[in-house]
Amino acid sequence: MNFDVSKKGLKISSSVTLEITAKAKTMKANGIDIISFGAGEPDFNTPENIRKEGIRAIEEGLTKYTPASGIVQLKEAICNKFKNDNNLDYLTENIIISNGAKHSIYNALLAIINPGDEVIIGIPYWVSYPELIKISDGKPIFVQTKEENDFKFTVTDLNKVLTNKTKAIILNSPNNPTGSIYTKEELKQIADWAIKNNIFVISDEIYEKLVYDGEHISIASLNENIKNLTIVINGMSKAYSMTGWRIGYLAAHKNIAKIISNIQSHTTSNPCSISQYASVVGITGDQNNTVEMKKQFEARRNYMVETINSIKGLSCKKPKGAFYIMVNITELKGNTINGIRINDSLDFAKVLLDEAKVAVIPGIGFGNDNYIRLSYATSMENIKNGLHRIKNILEK
């Protein structure tokens, strides 16, 4: 049957990685020993103090509607966090609590985009950025970054795609999928460019607590002019292993925050009340769990980087943050593995799944077919076994 459906909806792409992910899950369900490097979430449980606060909220009946933009206690905790961690002064009127950082990004785009406006993103990009821009009636504009520059775009890159329709850039630091971090000097140059051209900056800082080399700096903290143009995105998922709790938040100029509040009030209303109360404890309570999680991620990263660079045909840069590694597979292209020719990242991902029983994410899902992405948000035992399987299949 033919349906007269949304033309915009039809233009939204499904993830090219779904085939690999679905196949890996089916194989695992059938009893096959699959090691997955695809995880986009910490493999640690949510800290106990946060879990207990969620239980308390349920037991005490804190399960009703809250203000659409979030409870004031959480907004105040976030304001204090921005002041202490990022040297940013915000009031509660600048803060919107949402159903995850992805929802915050969508809210931000809806608040600033008019039909046909262009939003610049770097390649490799997080898979949802282009689709969120398209859903918001914007047009994603891509900038190809270079591995030798840690996959970071420069002002020169931005000038090449700047038009009179450019409305915003999305800056993701620490970055998914590359783990790269923008330095203060690089951020200053981008900030000056944005101010000069009156361009919004959507600064996705969801991985800020997972920095191993260097430091995280929010571009909004550089001066008042760039702060007014910046919408800072963050959330609870990565730093506190709260992916399923669905709490994200943003900070923006009060005029933009007001628009976002109105949008959210008519779409989702408030985020989960229980999760909000638990998040207050997460932000204001003991941070030792986050510190320990970061230490373990760093040890896994170091092992993976050293091992990957010892495997013939593979190479990678050492990521400075997040929990992903982009692995360069250009040397493998055109070669044959177990009778299967490797033409692209999807071919290689399929071979690893079928022959080595290892699931990875093809780089084409992030806009660059010369790479695969491996996550180290899995146990060291899985990392060692998985990389051993990859090494065997390539060196055999």
Side-chain angles (χ1 to χ4, degrees), residues 114-278:
N114 291 307
D117 282 348
E118 297 174 348
V119 181
I120 300 171
I121 53 178
I123 298 175
Y125 48 74
W126 179 52
V127 293
S128 290
Y129 288 152
E131 308 313 314
L132 288 171
I133 293 166
K134 288 189 281 185
I135 293 171
S136 307
D137 284 330
K139 180 181 179 182
I141 301 297
F142 302 101
V143 172
Q144 183 68 59
T145 64
K146 298 178 181 179
E147 185 174 0
E148 52 265 35
N149 192 42
D150 286 340
F151 302 104
K152 294 182 284 190
F153 53 66
T154 65
V155 168
T156 300
D157 297 324
L158 296 174
N159 278 327
K160 288 178 182 177
V161 295
L162 178 67
T163 72
N164 60 4
K165 292 185 177 180
T166 305
K167 177 59 74 72
I169 64 172
I170 297 182
L171 181 70
N172 181 206
S173 177
N175 184 270
N176 174 11
T178 67
S180 61
I181 295 173
Y182 284 79
T183 66
K184 188 172 186 178
E185 183 56 39
E186 290 166 339
L187 292 174
K188 282 182 178 178
Q189 293 174 17
I190 293 170
D192 289 344
W193 176 88
I195 294 166
K196 176 184 176 182
N197 295 289
N198 196 33
I199 305 296
F200 286 110
V201 177
I202 297 177
S203 184
D204 184 351
E205 304 178 15
I206 189 68
Y207 292 97
E208 72 156 336
K209 296 290 187 181
L210 300 176
V211 173
Y212 318 110
D213 303 318
E215 62 177 331
H216 169 72
I217 298 170
S218 176
I219 191 171
S221 69
L222 297 179
N223 58 64
E224 197 66 19
N225 288 330
I226 191 61
K227 179 186 174 187
N228 288 334
L229 284 170
T230 300
I231 303 174
V232 180
I233 308 290
N234 213 317
M236 305 300 293
S237 291
K238 313 302 181 180
Y240 300 97
S241 196
M242 292 177 68
T243 51
W245 297 70
R246 305 315 302 138
I247 293 293
Y249 56 86
L250 63 78
H253 188 280
K254 65 179 182 179
N255 294 351
I256 297 173
K258 177 63 176 174
I259 296 171
I260 293 172
S261 179
N262 290 340
I263 290 170
Q264 184 159 297
S265 69
H266 289 294
T267 51
T268 63
S269 295
N270 65 274
C272 174
S273 62
I274 302 156
S275 299
Q276 289 188 71
Y277 287 104

Side-chain angles (χ1 to χ4, degrees), residues 49-50 77 240 278-290:
N49 62 331
I50 299 173
Y240 300 97
S279 294
V280 174
V281 169
I283 292 175
T284 62
D286 190 340
Q287 303 295 303
N288 284 338
N289 283 285
T290 297

Side-chain angles (χ1 to χ4, degrees), residues 12 103 105 119 126 140 193 204 220 242 249 328-329 371 396:
I12 306 305
H103 186 209
I105 295 168
V119 181
W126 179 52
W193 176 88
D204 184 351
M242 292 177 68
Y249 56 86
N328 192 315
I329 63 166
Y371 298 84
K396 186 168 65 174

